[in-house]
């Protein structure tokens, strides 16, 4: 039986978020190889992929204040710069996937996306659906978008996948970042942080108050906002579960892709 999985490679794991426009080519190559191996192991596995902007888009967007809106010529110049920087990282990610044998097909979100007050209200999904139909792996990414209220804004990879999920009905969403799941504090700076293995609507309110933000510049919010977006999606799409796991640990992504019952990281589910 064919299964559809959404996979996001976090900007924190594919770039050095503390240094502007700095990819991590060795990590990217390893993750691409794990994805390729999983596709060979599971011929029934279909993927829609996305990746964050990391030290590419986030730092440029923070400098220009793009997420808050664009209202003058300087801001529009910054908008174009952020778009170019985001696309530059996408080319790097796509090349790594293709080199590993993953048939990645980049889909530029800003070509069709429309927002209203920061919310994504339209995205043309036809290219994503056509790519899937032909055995390709559609690849979207955090990008800029025109906004009816703000002029322009930033759309996160989570927003894109959340828009596509009700239309494509994936069974799983995997988010590979720099830490192995959700913790009640940033484990990179708090070694005694407690790991949260499972989040459901029942315990989410209590978990929310324990979560911190991101350890580096992130204009789309830290861990708390990302988990909240994923929980909303899990509740809205029947049968969908999500897992936040480490892309730093070799083999973890491969295992999660081939084994739906892998216990890596943190599981987010409706019950």
């Amino acid at each position: 039986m064919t299964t559809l999985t959404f996979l996001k490679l976090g900007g924190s794991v594919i770039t050095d978020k503390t240094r502007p426009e700095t990819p991590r080519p060795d990590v990217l190559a390893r993750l691409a190889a794990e994805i390729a191996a999983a596709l060979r192991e599971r011929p029934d596995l279909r993927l829609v992929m996305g990746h964050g902007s990391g030290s590419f888009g986030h730092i440029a967007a923070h400098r220009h204040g793009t997420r808050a809106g664009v209202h003058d010529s300087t801001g529009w110049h910054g908008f174009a710069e952020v778009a170019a920087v985001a696309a530059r990282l996408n080319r790097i990610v796509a090349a790594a996937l293709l080199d590993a044998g993953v048939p990645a097909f980049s889909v530029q979100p800003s070509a069709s996306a429309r927002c209203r007050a920061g919310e994504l209200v339209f995205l043309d999904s036809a290219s994503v659906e056509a790519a899937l139909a032909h055995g390709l792996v559609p690849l979207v990414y955090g990008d800029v978008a025109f906004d009816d209220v703000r002029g322009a804004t930033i759309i996160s990879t989570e927003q894109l996948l959340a828009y596509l999920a009700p239309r494509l009905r994936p069974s799983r969403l995997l988010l590979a970042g720099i830490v192995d799941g959700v913790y009640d504090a940033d484990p990179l700076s708090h070694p005694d942080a407690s790991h949260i293995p499972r989040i459901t609507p029942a315990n989410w309110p209590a978990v929310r108050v324990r979560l911190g933000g991101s350890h580096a510049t992130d204009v789309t919010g830290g861990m708390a906002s990302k988990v909240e977006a994923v929980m909303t999606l899990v509740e809205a799409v029947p049968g969908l579960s999500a897992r936040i796991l480490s892309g730093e640990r070799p083999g973890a992504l491969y295992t999660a892709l081939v084994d739906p019952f892998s216990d890596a990281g943190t599981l987010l589910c409706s019950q």
Side-chain angles (χ1 to χ4, degrees):
M1 179 180 176
T2 300
T3 59
L4 177 62
T5 295
F6 280 12
L7 167 63
K8 181 203 173 184
L9 301 180
S12 62
V13 75
I14 63 174
T15 74
D16 180 345
K17 289 184 75 172
T18 66
R19 300 170 61 195
E21 297 187 40
T22 305
R24 302 177 72 198
D26 293 346
V27 173
L28 256 175
R30 174 178 56 77
L31 291 171
E34 292 186 27
I35 295 165
L39 289 171
R40 290 193 298 269
E41 176 71 18
R42 289 275 309 275
D44 62 322
L45 179 63
R46 294 188 305 153
L47 287 179
V48 171
M49 288 187 59
H51 66 81
S53 287
S55 65
F56 283 71
H58 284 297
I59 290 178
H62 181 74
R63 183 168 65 249
H64 295 292
T66 309
R67 185 168 180 82
V70 177
H71 308 289
D72 56 27
S73 60
T74 300
W76 284 112
H77 188 278
F79 168 86
E81 180 185 328
V82 175
V85 168
R88 189 148 60 241
L89 177 59
N90 178 252
R91 288 193 293 272
I92 293 170
V93 175
L97 291 167
L98 288 164
D99 286 347
V102 178
F105 174 74
S106 291
V107 178
Q108 179 188 345
S110 55
S112 68
R114 296 291 301 189
C115 290
R116 184 174 299 119
E119 296 298 318
L120 181 61
V121 296
F122 176 77
L123 181 74
D124 185 357
S125 62
S127 294
V128 172
E129 294 174 50
L132 280 172
H134 291 291
L136 301 176
V137 175
L139 178 66
V140 299
Y141 56 96
D143 200 358
V144 297
F146 292 104
D147 189 298
D148 295 340
V149 175
R150 299 179 183 177
T153 190
I154 300 293
I155 42 174
S156 70
T157 314
E158 283 85 2
Q159 283 177 288
L160 295 164
L161 296 179
Y163 185 91
L164 292 170
R167 292 156 178 81
L168 302 180
R169 294 298 181 96
S171 59
R172 292 194 299 158
L173 168 60
L174 302 178
L175 300 104
I178 201 168
V179 295
D180 201 8
V182 180
Y183 290 76
D184 62 359
D186 185 347
L188 299 178
S189 54
H190 298 83
D192 58 345
S194 297
H195 176 245
I196 302 168
R198 186 184 184 99
I199 302 175
T200 68
N203 72 348
W204 169 231
V207 169
R208 183 194 287 115
V209 301
R210 297 164 59 191
L211 296 185
S214 174
H215 70 284
T217 302
D218 188 339
V219 297
T220 57
M223 180 61 81
S225 66
K226 286 178 171 53
V227 173
E228 181 150 27
V230 174
M231 282 305 302
T232 299
L233 184 58
V234 164
E235 291 185 77
V237 179
L240 177 65
S241 65
R243 189 171 291 279
I244 297 174
L245 69 152
S246 172
E248 291 282 274
R249 185 158 52 85
L253 178 57
Y254 166 80
T255 300
L257 283 168
V258 299
D259 180 8
F261 302 104
S262 165
D263 60 358
T266 297
L267 177 68
L268 295 83
C269 54
S270 59
Q271 57 185 9

